[in-house]
Amino acid sequence: MKKRLIIAALTIVLSFLFTGCSSNELVVYNALNKQFDASSLETETQISVNCKIDKVNERDRKDVETYVSFLNDTLMSITEKIEKPKNSTEVKTYTNANLDLSGVTYHLYAWSKEDPDSLTANNTYIYKIPSIFPMSFYRNDFSWKRNLVYNQNDLAKIINDNSNQNLDKKIFSESFHAVKNAITQAIQRHPKLFDGSFSFIQNNNSKVKDTSEYTLKINDKQFKSLLRLMVNELGKDKEFTESLKKAVKSFYANVSLMDRDEFDQDPLKDIDNYFDSGMLVNNINSLLDAFDNVQILGEEGMKISYFINKDGYIVDKKGEINIVLDTNRFEKAVEEAFRPEKDQIDAGTEENDTVVLRICINFGTHINGINTPLNIEFPSVDKSNSIDMAENLKQSIEEIRKEREEEKAYNDERYKINNEIRKKGFLEDYSSILINGKRIPYSVDVRVIKKGDVQLIPIRSLGDLAGIEVTWDESTNSCTAAKGDITVVFKPDSDIAVVNGVENSMGVITPVFAGKLYVPAKFTTEVFGGKIDYKTQIIQTDISIE
């Protein structure tokens, strides 16, 4: 859990990474905050990726080259509309993303309605399922459904109703936005972040379409130093850590029901202990130490230009982020940070297994319609055209519960029968039995048993697959098996079989388990003129009876 907590916390801190350090940083920071508080806006973003192979081993070359070619042929354009109705804290969002993969364009649509300042908001999200993702592979009745609908409260209720963790529903409903203001205030309480020690945003003193241009430039060393400063400075701030703890709790409260197995008995208490003990800051520092000599940003680093209008809003931004991905060094750093037995760390991936990629992400965003009323229309959704994720989860949980109950009943019955088998001196035999080319169908009460080297099988199964007529005589408590001119009479718990009126010793008794009479496979096969072949290498017994 430690690794996941660090990642969750770092993700949130990184969201505020470029908030401070000097007056220019404050201008951009204030503009970003103002953007968040706008009543409406529309953004248009273009994203492209350029990836180059710096080093690759021969084993992975083909796969890496395919991956790089795929990335270089990928373009994404995203249009987003955000609206906050008057006298309401509710936020409506519409997103249209067009993904161009090797000349083929895929359209992705999403709508959301949420209240970031409320712990009991009825937050709803709708996703249009792309036609390239047929839902019939998941369930046949999903074939013609084109929307995924996710209601946060409904999903929270179902998970809480079916979890033994008794999670606080208020924690469950909190979102990243709910703690944003508290985190922002915490950052502003620390003047060291704004004392000019780091100055990586420059005022270009240029006017472009009545805007002022501010450019962020940061290299790999600055990036790590700034992150370390923020972690250690803000890690001392109790209000900040409490706010961050809320966000991490919210993150974990929204994980899937199946992921709960990774927690201790009380996951939220586990998070409390992790933050309150100072372990989080110590472990993040250990992670940063491990990555000190691992290049994350390329030589060109990160460059982002913000264009701020006279009202203090960002109306354009563009930039590039250069990333170095060295699989060998990255793996070693992660091992060093997260393995407590550092003296036992393996030398890591061999040098000839290394893959080094240099990835450049280029993007540009134009922002308009600031504080201009928008009309975001939501699609009509119902059971005929949409998949309700909460209902689907509820149904899946019920199906899983039913399967587990059936599995438990099966195992209980199997355990009961196995106990009876052992009490009589027999053991279960896991060989496959083929009779005239057909396998005995196993079930909870049909199996193969053995005593010593003698295999026994249900006489009824042998009869069904070998064309032997099997009858039970209640009055004499005996079973008769007949085929052609051969008639054999068996009695439960007897080692004597009567073949055409003559008693024969079978060397083992014929027990009854779960209402099934078991007879020695070899003896019975040969009595009916058949052949038996033990294929020990594949744990299979072949029986053939004409």
Side-chain angles (χ1 to χ4, degrees):
M1 182 177 177
K2 179 177 78 172
K3 185 188 296 188
R4 296 181 67 178
L5 276 176
I6 292 174
I7 292 170
L10 267 178
T11 300
I12 296 168
V13 172
L14 282 169
S15 301
F16 296 92
L17 179 61
F18 305 113
T19 61
C21 302
S22 70
S23 59
N24 289 329
E25 280 75 14
L26 275 174
V27 171
V28 175
Y29 172 63
N30 290 333
L32 289 167
N33 272 329
K34 196 166 186 177
Q35 210 85 0
F36 182 84
D37 294 329
S39 63
S40 62
L41 56 85
E42 183 173 352
T43 66
E44 296 175 2
T45 301
Q46 303 286 329
I47 302 172
S48 64
V49 179
N50 181 266
C51 185
K52 294 181 180 178
I53 301 172
D54 203 38
K55 186 176 182 180
V56 63
N57 61 77
E58 287 304 315
R59 185 193 64 193
D60 296 322
R61 180 176 297 279
K62 186 175 181 180
D63 289 340
V64 172
E65 287 177 345
T66 301
Y67 170 74
V68 167
S69 176
F70 177 81
L71 276 182
N72 288 336
D73 287 338
T74 300
L75 296 172
M76 178 174 278
S77 60
I78 304 169
T79 299
E80 185 173 47
K81 295 181 180 181
I82 302 172
E83 182 178 32
K84 300 177 183 177
K86 286 184 178 180
N87 304 318
S88 172
T89 55
E90 183 181 78
V91 180
K92 293 181 179 179
T93 305
Y94 163 73
T95 304
N96 173 15
N98 296 313
L99 185 62
D100 190 325
L101 302 177
S102 302
V104 180
T105 302
Y106 302 98
H107 304 284
L108 311 170
Y109 303 93
W111 297 260
S112 68
K113 188 186 298 180
E114 58 184 342
D115 189 340
D117 295 327
S118 172
L119 299 182
T120 57
N122 196 34
N123 298 338
T124 303
Y125 309 88
I126 302 171
Y127 307 94
K128 191 173 183 63
I129 304 168
S131 57
I132 58 169
F133 301 133
M135 294 303 291
S136 56
F137 78 91
Y138 181 61
R139 271 179 42 185
N140 288 333
D141 57 327
F142 285 176
S143 297
W144 303 107
K145 297 190 176 183
R146 299 265 49 93
N147 301 301
L148 282 175
V149 180
Y150 161 40
N151 182 284
Q152 187 171 334
N153 281 4
D154 291 347
L155 201 64
K157 183 178 185 306
I158 289 170
I159 291 179
N160 274 301
D161 288 347
N162 292 277
S163 171
N164 59 6
Q165 304 291 354
N166 297 317
L167 294 174
D168 185 341
K169 293 185 181 180
K170 288 186 178 179
I171 292 290
F172 199 100
S173 297
E174 280 200 351
S175 67
F176 169 80
H177 301 289
V179 297
K180 174 187 177 295
N181 291 335
I183 296 176
T184 300
Q185 292 167 9
I187 292 174
Q188 291 177 334
R189 280 197 300 273
H190 289 264
K192 189 172 180 180
L193 295 174
F194 299 91
D195 65 0
S197 300
F198 290 92
S199 181
F200 53 86
I201 294 183
Q202 303 297 323
N203 183 346
N204 295 343
N205 295 315
S206 61
K207 296 289 183 180
V208 180
K209 296 181 181 179
D210 297 323
T211 64
S212 298
E213 181 183 358
Y214 291 81
T215 300
L216 175 154
K217 289 183 180 179
I218 189 168
N219 61 31
D220 187 71
K221 184 177 180 180
Q222 291 171 325
F223 173 79
K224 293 170 184 172
S225 298
L226 177 60
L227 184 55
R228 190 183 292 274
L229 173 67
M230 292 191 68
V231 166
N232 288 287
E233 187 71 14
L234 299 179
K236 305 171 188 174
D237 190 308
K238 186 170 179 59
E239 290 182 48
F240 174 83
T241 55
E242 284 297 317
S243 299
L244 185 58
K245 184 164 64 176
K246 285 184 180 180
V248 173
K249 283 185 176 182
S250 175
F251 173 82
Y252 273 100
N254 284 277
V255 298
S256 73
L257 191 63
M258 299 308 171
D259 283 344
R260 296 292 171 81
D261 293 339
E262 295 190 18
F263 287 122
D264 295 338
Q265 189 169 1
D266 186 346
L268 300 186
K269 185 178 179 181
D270 200 25
I271 292 172
D272 282 333
N273 293 337
Y274 198 67
F275 274 83
D276 297 343
S277 66
M279 287 175 61
L280 178 67
V281 172
N282 292 337
N283 284 321
I284 292 179
N285 275 308
S286 295
L287 180 63
L288 294 175
D289 289 342
F291 273 87
D292 252 351
N293 296 316
V294 179
Q295 188 176 8
I296 297 173
L297 295 181
E299 284 72 15
E300 298 298 320
M302 184 186 304
K303 178 181 177 182
I304 304 174
S305 293
Y306 298 91
F307 298 86
I308 302 174
N309 68 12
K310 58 182 174 41
D311 296 321
Y313 289 101
I314 297 171
V315 293
D316 278 292
K317 59 182 175 181
K318 63 181 180 179
E320 65 177 45
I321 302 173
N322 294 278
I323 300 170
V324 176
L325 179 60
D326 185 327
T327 58
N328 189 17
R329 301 187 72 180
F330 189 92
E331 181 181 338
K332 287 180 180 178
V334 172
E335 289 284 318
E336 181 183 341
F338 291 115
R339 273 198 187 178
E341 311 87 2
K342 293 188 178 181
D343 57 331
Q344 299 180 17
I345 293 177
D346 195 296
T349 308
E350 294 296 329
E351 192 66 28
N352 57 12
D353 286 339
T354 296
V355 175
V356 181
L357 300 179
R358 296 187 179 273
I359 304 169
C360 178
I361 303 171
N362 291 280
F363 64 91
T365 299
H366 177 64
I367 303 165
N368 56 46
I370 298 173
N371 297 324
T372 301
L374 297 174
N375 183 24
I376 297 178
E377 295 185 0
F378 281 64
S380 175
V381 294
D382 54 39
K383 290 185 178 180
S384 67
N385 65 12
S386 303
I387 300 167
D388 187 314
M389 293 177 69
E391 282 298 316
N392 183 54
L393 177 61
K394 182 179 179 181
Q395 184 175 342
S396 296
I397 290 172
E398 289 172 352
E399 290 173 354
I400 291 171
R401 182 177 289 120
K402 183 179 178 181
E403 287 176 2
R404 287 178 177 173
E405 288 173 353
E406 291 174 350
E407 183 180 2
K408 183 179 183 303
Y410 176 90
N411 288 334
D412 287 348
E413 182 66 17
R414 186 182 182 90
Y415 179 77
K416 177 183 173 183
I417 295 172
N418 279 345
N419 270 346
E420 293 175 3
I421 290 172
R422 283 192 291 271
K423 284 178 181 178
K424 285 193 174 184
F426 293 86
L427 294 173
E428 186 169 7
D429 188 319
Y430 298 99
S431 300
S432 294
I433 306 292
L434 270 68
I435 301 173
N436 290 346
K438 295 182 180 179
R439 198 177 306 275
I440 288 182
Y442 288 96
S443 65
V444 67
D445 56 354
V446 175
R447 74 274 307 280
V448 181
I449 62 174
K450 65 182 178 180
K451 189 162 190 177
D453 58 356
V454 179
Q455 280 183 335
L456 294 93
I457 58 177
I459 184 61
R460 181 69 65 182
S461 298
L462 178 65
D464 290 344
L465 297 176
I468 299 171
E469 183 181 355
V470 177
T471 57
W472 176 260
D473 188 339
E474 191 72 34
S475 62
T476 61
N477 191 36
S478 64
C479 172
T480 300
K483 182 180 175 69
D485 58 357
I486 304 294
T487 299
V488 185
V489 179
F490 301 97
K491 282 200 170 188
D493 297 324
S494 171
D495 63 349
I496 300 298
V498 180
V499 182
N500 288 343
V502 179
E503 291 186 350
N504 288 257
S505 175
M506 296 180 289
V508 64
I509 65 169
T510 53
V512 176
F513 299 114
K516 304 290 189 297
L517 179 70
Y518 284 77
V519 299
K522 186 174 186 298
F523 173 86
T524 310
T525 298
E526 291 176 347
V527 160
F528 284 101
K531 294 180 180 179
I532 188 165
D533 182 14
Y534 296 102
K535 297 180 177 179
T536 55
Q537 289 184 337
I538 58 174
I539 317 177
Q540 178 175 300
T541 301
D542 289 353
I543 295 173
S544 57
I545 299 176
E546 295 294 331

